[in-house]
């Protein structure tokens, strides 16, 4: 009998990255941690496009989905979530700058905590195969009951659609109308915004100011500065309104 091929591996993750260039962890294949609560994290990733990477610890890896608009606490808002390659467990602590190559941009640890499937023991892998995973999050920003549901496969079983899921909040104590990405935009780990994370790499920041080039990272940096300025304007506008009343 041949060895069981593991369902989850870091092969695709590693094949996409050059670890002599990126600060991202190479990762080790960790055995499942038994009864310890499984971790989850969401990384806000300013790359070519801003998105939020939802990651759920399972079977020694982080199952991953990229959510372009980020999570919504409103059960009526279904958010597209593209399944991406499994990431190493160590990735759940990563915050930093990816200078060039796959995922070029700035990664912020936006939320973290623990998660569990709602039907304990029924099998996460089976739920993933079926295309519906119901789960609870216990993070700082996100809590309560959620679902990931795979969208219907295109006729003829088109492969690309296998990666397309939606993320939905269930109605509970933690659902509501507030835009959580808007009211809680900063890092849960360091309270930094993208420009502040970037400042840990003064070499990159200085060359950006000097060259004004149009590379992928330079576009990301300009966007990070714009987002910061927009937030500062919003804070000032709020102060003025308060001073008048
Ligand atoms: Mn990403």
């Amino acid at each position: 009998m041949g060895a069981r091929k593991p369902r989850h591996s870091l092969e695709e993750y590693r094949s996409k990255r050059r670890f002599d260039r990126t600060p991202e962890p190479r990762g080790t294949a960790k055995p499942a941690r038994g009864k310890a609560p499984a971790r989850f994290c969401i990384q806000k990733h300013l790359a070519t496009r801003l998105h939020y990477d939802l990651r759920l610890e399972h079977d020694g890896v982080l199952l991953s989905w990229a959510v372009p608009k980020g999570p919504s606490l409103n059960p009526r808002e279904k958010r597209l979530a593209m399944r991406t390659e499994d990431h190493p467990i160590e990735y759940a602590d990563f915050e930093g700058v990816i200078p060039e190559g796959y995922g070029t941009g700035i990664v912020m640890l936006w939320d973290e905590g623990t998660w569990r499937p709602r039907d304990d023991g029924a099998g996460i892998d089976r739920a993933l195969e079926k295309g519906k995973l119901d789960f609870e999050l216990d993070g700082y920003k996100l809590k309560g009951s959620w679902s990931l549901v795979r969208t219907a496969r295109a006729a003829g079983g088109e492969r690309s659609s296998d990666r397309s899921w939606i993320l939905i909040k269930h109605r509970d104590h933690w659902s509501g109308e507030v835009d959580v990405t808007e009211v809680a935009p900063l890092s849960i780990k360091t309270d930094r915004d993208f420009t502040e994370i970037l400042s840990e790499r003064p070499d990159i920041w200085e060359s950006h100011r000097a060259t004004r080039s149009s590379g992928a990272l330079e576009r990301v940096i300009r966007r990070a500065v714009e987002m910061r300025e927009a937030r500062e304007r919003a804070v000032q506008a709020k102060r003025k309104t308060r001073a008048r009343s």
Side-chain angles (χ1 to χ4, degrees):
M1 252 193 343
R4 184 179 77 97
K5 188 180 179 291
R7 282 175 203 265
H8 304 284
S9 85
L10 299 175
E11 215 172 289
E12 188 184 347
Y13 172 85
R14 285 178 182 151
S15 72
K16 285 178 167 171
R17 290 167 176 80
R18 292 202 42 184
F19 295 100
D20 56 341
R21 292 191 182 170
T22 178
E24 297 165 292
R26 192 169 189 285
T28 49
K30 293 248 170 69
R33 291 188 303 153
K35 287 224 178 280
R39 293 175 68 182
F40 91 92
C41 75
I42 293 187
Q43 275 143 337
K44 187 174 171 182
H45 185 182
L46 185 59
T48 310
R49 290 208 172 96
L50 176 69
H51 60 274
Y52 295 72
D53 290 302
L54 166 65
R55 309 192 196 281
L56 306 174
E57 178 187 358
H58 171 59
D59 205 11
V61 299
L62 298 173
L63 308 171
S64 298
W65 286 263
V67 185
K69 290 186 173 176
S72 172
L73 303 184
N74 185 339
R76 288 195 304 272
E77 284 178 4
K78 298 176 170 62
R79 291 289 162 88
L80 176 68
M82 296 302 286
R83 181 96 188 261
T84 57
E85 75 274 18
D86 296 338
H87 277 50
I89 297 288
E90 293 89 334
Y91 210 93
D93 295 314
F94 178 69
E95 181 168 276
V97 181
I98 305 173
E100 59 172 279
Y102 187 74
T104 295
I106 310 168
V107 176
M108 174 202 292
L109 188 57
W110 184 78
D111 198 16
E112 63 178 354
T114 59
W115 81 283
R116 62 179 183 80
R118 291 201 76 187
D119 51 348
D120 274 323
I124 294 165
D125 287 315
R126 217 179 61 192
L128 291 173
E129 270 162 38
K130 279 184 166 175
K132 188 168 193 292
L133 179 64
D134 300 316
F135 57 100
E136 304 271 344
L137 293 181
D138 187 10
Y140 291 94
K141 297 176 185 175
L142 304 185
K143 290 176 187 290
S145 176
W146 299 74
S147 277
L148 275 163
V149 182
R150 192 169 53 222
T151 60
R153 288 175 198 218
E158 207 200 299
R159 291 288 303 165
S160 64
S161 64
D162 288 2
R163 287 188 173 259
S164 177
W165 296 60
I166 48 175
L167 175 67
I168 313 163
K169 178 80 194 78
H170 293 171
R171 201 165 295 282
D172 61 17
H173 186 66
W174 307 103
S175 61
E177 302 284 322
V178 63
D179 184 345
V180 68
T181 60
E182 203 60 42
V183 300
L186 303 180
S187 167
I188 200 66
K189 187 183 187 180
T190 59
D191 207 34
R192 295 184 295 180
D193 71 5
F194 283 126
T195 62
E196 289 161 336
I197 294 169
L198 190 64
S199 70
E200 72 186 32
R201 290 293 305 267
D203 53 328
I204 291 173
W205 180 238
E206 289 307 321
S207 73
H208 163 71
R209 283 159 57 105
T211 62
R212 298 266 161 212
S213 79
S214 58
L217 188 58
E218 278 70 28
R219 284 197 299 276
V220 164
I221 293 170
R222 274 198 291 277
R223 182 89 179 89
V225 172
E226 283 164 14
M227 287 168 76
R228 184 190 180 92
E229 288 169 351
R231 245 197 15 263
E232 282 168 350
R233 278 196 302 274
V235 169
Q236 275 173 3
K238 211 180 263 176
R239 262 193 215 127
K240 268 184 201 157
T241 319
R242 224 177 278 150
R244 257 185 254 125
S245 58

